Amino acid sequence: MDQHRTRPPQRRPRPPQSPLRPRGTVAGAAAVYRVPAPTGRRVPPVVLTLRRFPNPRLTGLGAGLFAAATMFVIGCLDQLLFDGEPLVYGVLFLPVSALTALWVRTADLVTAPISVPIAFAVGTFPISGGTSGIGGQTMAVVTALAVQAGWLYGGTLVAGVIASVRKVRQMGRRQRARDAAAARGVSAGAGAKAGARTGAKAGTGGASAVARRG
């Protein structure tokens, strides 16, 4: 009799199961790979606003011309719009003095407190109200400078303080650079001495070995 051949039942392969992890493992991994948030020093918005302004570096002559031209334009506008009001002219003189001291280059900082009073005198020509003639105009300018001496001294003081602060900061940066260069030189010298000693020891050892072989 023919026997029916029966095929053995095929088993389907089961997908590999990942080993069970304890509950604390995921939390521990998350705690390990958690990147701390950067904690940087927050810059005030006023400082950010000031950094957006232009920051040119003018020579002493350029800073003087900038201050004189600006004050002359301010004097003309004051005479045209406010009938030569001294208060408006004096108030606007202060920021011009500050900008002159900020924009002059470091090598010409001493010129800032000198060029600012000259610019103030140039700007008083339109608002002095002098009569025709050189003598009358000169007397009017001298009178205006005497009347507005407070604003003149104030603007000169602002320029002098800003120039002094910038000079002190420059001297501090130079001193720190010198200290860093001196520290690098000392470390380099110590490394060179250590290398020379090591080479001398190696040479002495090689000479002694040759002498022993001989």
Side-chain angles (χ1 to χ4, degrees):
M1 296 179 65
D2 296 335
Q3 296 181 356
H4 297 283
R5 296 180 180 178
T6 59
R7 296 181 180 178
Q10 297 180 358
R11 297 181 180 180
R12 297 180 180 178
R14 296 181 180 180
Q17 297 180 358
S18 59
L20 297 178
R21 297 180 181 178
R23 296 181 179 179
T25 307
V26 179
V32 171
Y33 292 101
R34 184 176 298 173
V35 180
T39 58
R41 187 177 179 182
R42 189 175 182 182
V43 182
V46 179
V47 178
L48 294 177
T49 305
L50 292 176
R51 288 178 180 177
R52 295 175 183 175
F53 287 122
N55 190 21
R57 284 292 173 258
L58 304 175
T59 62
L61 179 60
L65 292 176
F66 162 76
T70 305
M71 292 310 301
F72 185 78
V73 172
I74 290 175
C76 294
L77 293 177
D78 186 17
Q79 180 66 27
L80 181 63
L81 300 176
F82 302 100
D83 198 15
E85 179 62 33
L87 180 61
V88 176
Y89 182 80
V91 169
L92 294 178
F93 174 65
L94 300 180
V96 173
S97 302
L99 290 177
T100 303
L102 286 173
W103 287 352
V104 69
R105 65 182 184 179
T106 311
D108 297 331
L109 283 173
V110 70
T111 62
I114 300 174
S115 59
V116 162
I118 299 175
F120 187 89
V122 171
T124 54
F125 276 97
I127 63 174
S128 59
T131 58
S132 59
I134 300 177
Q137 190 67 35
T138 303
M139 290 301 298
V141 170
V142 171
T143 304
L145 291 177
V147 172
Q148 303 182 20
W151 296 110
L152 176 60
Y153 294 152
T156 306
L157 180 62
V158 169
V161 169
I162 294 176
S164 301
V165 171
R166 289 186 58 192
K167 187 65 177 180
V168 170
R169 292 184 61 184
Q170 180 198 15
M171 293 172 62
R173 286 194 296 267
R174 287 182 177 178
Q175 186 63 33
R176 287 192 295 270
R178 291 174 183 174
D179 295 342
R184 287 194 297 267
V186 170
S187 61
K193 289 181 180 179
R197 291 176 182 175
T198 305
K201 290 181 180 179
T204 305
S208 60
V210 171
R212 289 175 183 175
R213 290 177 183 177

